[in-house]
Amino acid sequence: MLNANLPPGLRVGFTTTIPVEVILAAGLIPVDLNNIFITAADAYQQVNAAEAEGWPRTVCAWIKGIHSTLQRRPDIKVVIVVTQGDCSNTHALMELLEAEGQQLAAFQFPFPRSRELLHHQIAQLMVFFDVDWPMVTQTWRELNPVRVKLAELDRLTWTTGQVSGRENFQFLLSGSDFNGDPQTFSRHLTEFLARVRRRPHHAGLVRLGLIGIPPIFDNLFECLEELGAQVVFNEFPRQFSMPGKPVDMVEQYLNYTYPYDVFGRIADIAVAVAERRLDGLIHYTQSFCFRQIQDRLLRQRLNLPMLTIEGDRPAAVDHRTRLRLEAFVDVLRR
């Protein structure tokens, strides 16, 4: 990797959650490419445009959406591609971006999980962005109060129901890049928490956990609420918010379950099942994603009713999936 040599204030994109402290310590703006793709008004059309350019139909829509997003965002000067601990398709995406002249950095979450190897990977990223451990550690400390607020938001979701499943999902998901501005994000979060604490307590008839990668459906939470169910656990968005009280930044990303083996995820979900008194789990799987294979292990190890649903492109919940959700919620209600 060559040194990025970027002036402060430029945007750095990434393909999945990475040690964002490194980017912020360098005075740069982090951009989670997944977030800006899925929140675009024309996200569905972006996937179609990628296929029109030659992307295979049988490739995950998230990867195609990331590529389309980058084509529209020349202000994103560097892209960090996670080549281990995320989707294997990112290897080919990195090659394509390199051929298109995009400046790139690679990052790997070690497999199996290793503190020494993770420390080395973070150090390499720091060399690329020309920052050192004291700078990054200071940034990590400055972000801790924001993450404490996210944990409080999550608590209000499953204890009092004052935060909806959708609100929980959106805020925790933004913990990957803090919408590019941690200070403004923190202020908005403080204002939001002040508002929701004035809401009456609310409890759905059925308490659900949503596990698996963030769903590409744009109205899943609303659909479940109409059926009388409340999502009180969003597995991966919660992980993006970096829960817990690690002793340092390396431990924080070592505890982060998303990029490692499924058994760490199962242990984390099992704790949530008991603590949050979940009635059932919805396992969202993305078409053409390797994580579909893990559904079998999740079912074997988690002693709770589970419905597996699959999505492909950004769109509303289809009629068949809605019927399956309705039947699942009805069974749990009984």
Side-chain angles (χ1 to χ4, degrees):
M1 289 192 303
L2 299 175
N3 188 286
N5 194 27
L6 295 172
L10 290 184
R11 287 172 168 78
V12 177
F14 44 88
T15 59
T16 191
T17 299
I18 46 87
V20 69
E21 292 85 351
V22 176
I23 300 173
L24 292 167
L28 304 172
I29 299 173
V31 179
D32 188 325
L33 298 171
N34 298 283
N35 293 355
I36 57 175
F37 155 59
I38 201 59
T39 56
D42 62 344
Y44 186 95
Q45 288 75 18
Q46 287 190 45
V47 176
N48 288 344
E51 291 178 357
E53 292 175 359
W55 277 86
R57 170 71 181 81
T58 52
V59 168
C60 170
W62 288 98
I63 292 291
K64 289 180 278 196
I66 286 174
H67 184 252
S68 292
T69 294
L70 284 170
Q71 289 183 315
R72 299 174 174 211
R73 293 292 301 269
D75 58 318
I76 297 176
K77 300 300 183 183
V78 175
V79 176
I80 302 172
V81 181
V82 177
T83 56
Q84 185 167 285
D86 191 26
C87 173
S88 59
N89 288 328
T90 55
H91 287 262
L93 175 64
M94 189 172 190
E95 293 169 343
L96 181 60
L97 294 174
E98 182 179 6
E100 294 172 349
Q102 177 72 60
Q103 189 171 10
L104 301 168
F107 183 81
Q108 296 183 1
F109 287 98
F111 188 88
R113 193 180 316 205
S114 162
R115 181 182 175 91
E116 179 183 358
L117 293 177
L118 179 59
H119 186 283
H120 176 69
Q121 281 293 315
I122 296 173
Q124 282 191 309
L125 199 63
M126 288 162 49
V127 169
F128 183 87
F129 288 104
D130 194 24
V131 293
D132 57 27
W133 280 107
M135 296 167 66
V136 171
T137 300
Q138 178 59 32
T139 303
W140 173 72
R141 291 187 179 123
E142 291 170 357
L143 291 176
N144 282 340
V146 188
R147 289 174 169 142
V148 168
K149 293 176 190 177
L150 287 172
E152 172 63 5
L153 181 148
D154 189 35
R155 187 189 70 82
L156 292 175
T157 305
W158 66 270
T159 58
T160 67
Q162 290 167 298
V163 177
S164 72
R166 164 69 71 185
E167 292 167 333
N168 177 286
F169 178 84
Q170 290 176 329
F171 269 102
L172 298 189
L173 205 65
S174 296
S176 63
D177 65 359
F178 305 101
N179 294 337
D181 184 348
Q183 289 158 335
T184 301
F185 181 80
S186 180
R187 187 172 65 253
H188 289 165
L189 183 53
T190 298
E191 294 167 355
F192 175 78
L193 287 171
R195 289 198 307 272
V196 300
R197 288 190 181 106
R198 295 193 292 267
R199 293 176 179 175
H201 291 202
H202 170 74
L205 296 176
V206 176
R207 297 170 65 85
L208 295 176
L210 180 60
I211 65 175
I213 66 171
I216 209 164
F217 295 125
D218 59 22
N219 68 334
L220 178 60
F221 294 94
E222 292 76 12
C223 178
L224 289 168
E225 287 177 2
E226 289 171 8
L227 297 173
Q230 183 178 11
V231 175
V232 297
F233 175 59
N234 284 300
E235 182 203 358
F236 280 149
R238 176 175 169 273
Q239 284 296 315
F240 296 161
S241 73
M242 302 295 149
K245 297 178 180 179
V247 298
D248 58 25
M249 194 185 79
V250 177
E251 183 178 285
Q252 174 178 283
Y253 288 98
L254 201 63
N255 294 340
Y256 170 49
T257 64
Y258 174 85
Y260 304 112
D261 62 69
V262 71
F263 303 107
R265 289 182 54 207
I266 290 171
D268 178 61
I269 296 167
V271 170
V273 166
E275 183 179 52
R276 303 182 187 221
R277 307 181 312 280
L278 302 184
D279 299 310
L281 296 169
I282 294 177
H283 181 205
Y284 175 79
T285 62
Q286 179 67 30
S287 297
F288 315 115
C289 177
F290 79 92
R291 292 184 185 273
Q292 289 181 318
I293 302 170
Q294 297 172 334
D295 185 73
R296 179 178 176 183
L297 287 169
L298 292 167
R299 289 179 174 277
Q300 288 175 347
R301 302 296 179 96
L302 294 168
N303 186 27
L304 202 69
M306 183 185 303
L307 174 69
T308 301
I309 60 175
E310 180 180 343
D312 182 10
R313 297 167 184 245
V317 173
D318 59 272
H319 183 64
R320 176 178 175 273
T321 300
R322 183 183 173 88
L323 287 175
R324 295 183 65 223
L325 291 169
E326 184 174 3
F328 184 62
V329 171
D330 282 344
V331 168
L332 295 180
R333 186 181 290 115
R334 295 171 195 161

